[in-house]
Amino acid sequence: MTSVAARDRRLADRAVRRVAFTAEELGDRVRALGTEISAAYRPEDRLLVIGLLKGSFIFLADLVREITIPLQVDFLVAASYGAGTTSSGDVRLLYDPSTSLAGRAVLIVEDIIDSGTTLKKLLPRLQARAPASLEVCALLHKRLGTDHLEPRWVGFNAPNEFLVGYGLDHAEDFRHLPYIASLE
Ligand code: IMP
Ligand code: MG
């Protein structure tokens, strides 16, 4: 019997060009990040982990299970206007965390930093809500921006290719792949 999931996987396997990070490599790195993050905060910091949707959902789910200090989870949905839509390049918040950031140790979890525009627009707006600290953990960093935004934690330096899987999409497809691959 062929499950829908198995069929989807085979279609995806044909579309992807090269596996950039295997499930095992992702698991090892996420475990190491969880250990580092656990050591960087104290329980009384009241860590608040905020995932940037949708791309961070799998990374965030795996990461928080590797963090051994108490924490809370919330999400944020940001939409950046692409070039040509508006001249401003503004980032709009479609879902704003209901949790108050004031006095909290806030850790933003992002799937991939490309130009860095999303985070550069977002971070000052979150900083204005007076968190005790504000750090970023990005799974992947393409290091393409002119002045680099350097998060406190980065999983991997990413190749300058279009990547899908482990939460990353192309036109909403491929998010469910357990590995990260570059597209054909
Ligand atoms: P930035 O604002 O240019 O840093 O873009 C960050 C966002 O663009 C990420 O959160 C992703 O949603 C998307 N993105 C950038 N590169 C890729 C990629 O290779 N695959 C899938 N999404 C990407
Ligand atoms: Mg994204």
Side-chain angles (χ1 to χ4, degrees):
M1 196 177 77
T2 312
S3 70
V4 171
R7 194 195 63 207
D8 283 356
R9 289 272 163 76
R10 280 207 314 277
L11 289 174
D13 286 345
R14 277 205 293 274
V16 302
R17 192 154 59 98
R18 182 179 71 82
V19 173
F21 303 101
T22 65
E24 195 189 2
E25 287 170 327
L26 293 168
D28 288 347
R29 188 69 188 115
V30 171
R31 260 188 302 282
L33 287 170
T35 302
E36 282 182 36
I37 291 166
S38 303
Y41 295 96
R42 300 159 306 167
E44 57 269 30
D45 290 335
R46 298 173 63 234
L47 180 61
L48 174 62
V49 180
I50 299 182
L52 274 171
L53 290 177
K54 300 174 191 172
S56 73
F57 81 109
I58 294 179
F59 176 42
L60 178 123
D62 285 346
L63 182 66
V64 293
R65 284 179 288 180
E66 300 295 341
I67 299 178
T68 53
I69 54 165
L71 60 82
Q72 295 181 339
V73 173
D74 211 328
F75 294 96
L76 200 149
V77 183
S80 40
Y81 294 104
T85 314
T86 72
S87 54
S88 63
D90 257 349
V91 169
R92 204 159 43 110
L93 291 184
L94 302 182
Y95 170 76
D96 204 0
S98 46
T99 321
S100 166
L101 307 196
R104 304 291 301 267
V106 175
L107 178 64
I108 303 296
V109 175
E110 170 68 309
D111 52 359
I112 184 166
I113 299 176
D114 188 332
S115 68
T117 307
T118 309
L119 281 175
K120 268 184 210 145
K121 303 264 173 179
L122 197 60
L123 290 177
R125 291 173 62 174
L126 298 178
Q127 193 69 64
R129 297 180 195 184
S133 64
L134 181 61
E135 302 285 358
V136 174
C137 176
L139 178 63
L140 302 163
H141 198 329
K142 284 190 178 168
R143 304 189 182 282
L144 295 181
T146 41
D147 62 312
H148 280 170
L149 183 124
E150 196 51 52
R152 177 143 176 206
W153 290 284
V154 173
F156 300 96
N157 288 326
N160 186 16
E161 296 167 28
F162 198 82
L163 300 172
V164 296
Y166 200 69
L168 295 162
D169 73 305
H170 174 253
E172 295 302 325
D173 289 326
F174 308 119
R175 290 194 197 273
H176 66 306
L177 301 179
Y179 51 85
I180 291 177
S182 60
L183 266 196
E184 195 64 78

